Amino acid sequence: PSALPTPASSAAAETKISLAEDSRATKFGLPKGVTLPDSVKSDLLQGRLLDTLQSLPLQLINDALQEYDDAVQIKGASIRNHGAYLFGVIKRYVSVQERASKGGEGSGILPMGPELTP
């Protein structure tokens, strides 16, 4: 009987984490379901960067933010201007989305991944 509260409390903790992430993202006008990694500081999400990020579909927003987070984990202090770096990642996702939306062979498939983004 005492084992039952433990899984319930861990599920509650997971719910609190996802709600905190959602509220932080919605504070910036990002759609529900966006997960902001800890490496994405609040002062980065403003102006053109935020406007451009909001123009992407949910999955691409999360992919771009995750790619930036991965880069911060790997490169760390060697990134001198985090705002410019994140904006560059977002702009690349925008251009790939635009190319994919123009149609042609393989339309609807976004050519992103390790082969394009080492």
Side-chain angles (χ1 to χ4, degrees):
S2 63
L4 292 176
T6 304
S9 63
S10 67
E14 289 174 21
T15 303
K16 287 179 185 175
I17 291 170
S18 64
L19 288 176
E21 291 168 350
D22 282 348
S23 68
R24 186 171 165 232
T26 54
K27 180 176 114 175
F28 294 102
L30 296 170
K32 186 173 180 161
V34 170
T35 302
L36 287 176
D38 289 337
S39 63
V40 179
K41 304 298 180 203
S42 296
D43 62 335
L44 294 176
L45 297 174
Q46 57 187 341
R48 274 187 9 190
L49 186 147
L50 183 58
D51 293 341
T52 307
L53 187 63
Q54 290 170 330
S55 73
L56 291 171
L58 174 65
Q59 184 60 49
L60 293 184
I61 292 173
N62 281 326
D63 290 348
L65 293 173
Q66 185 59 52
E67 181 178 327
Y68 169 77
D69 185 56
D70 292 343
V72 169
Q73 302 303 319
I74 294 167
K75 298 178 182 181
S78 67
I79 299 174
R80 289 182 286 183
N81 186 334
H82 285 264
Y85 193 97
L86 177 56
F87 192 57
V89 171
I90 293 167
K91 283 191 340 187
R92 189 163 28 78
Y93 276 82
V94 168
S95 71
V96 168
Q97 180 197 23
E98 287 171 352
R99 275 186 268 137
S101 69
K102 287 183 181 175
E105 189 175 323
S107 67
I109 299 172
L110 297 177
M112 295 296 285
E115 58 280 348
L116 289 179
T117 56

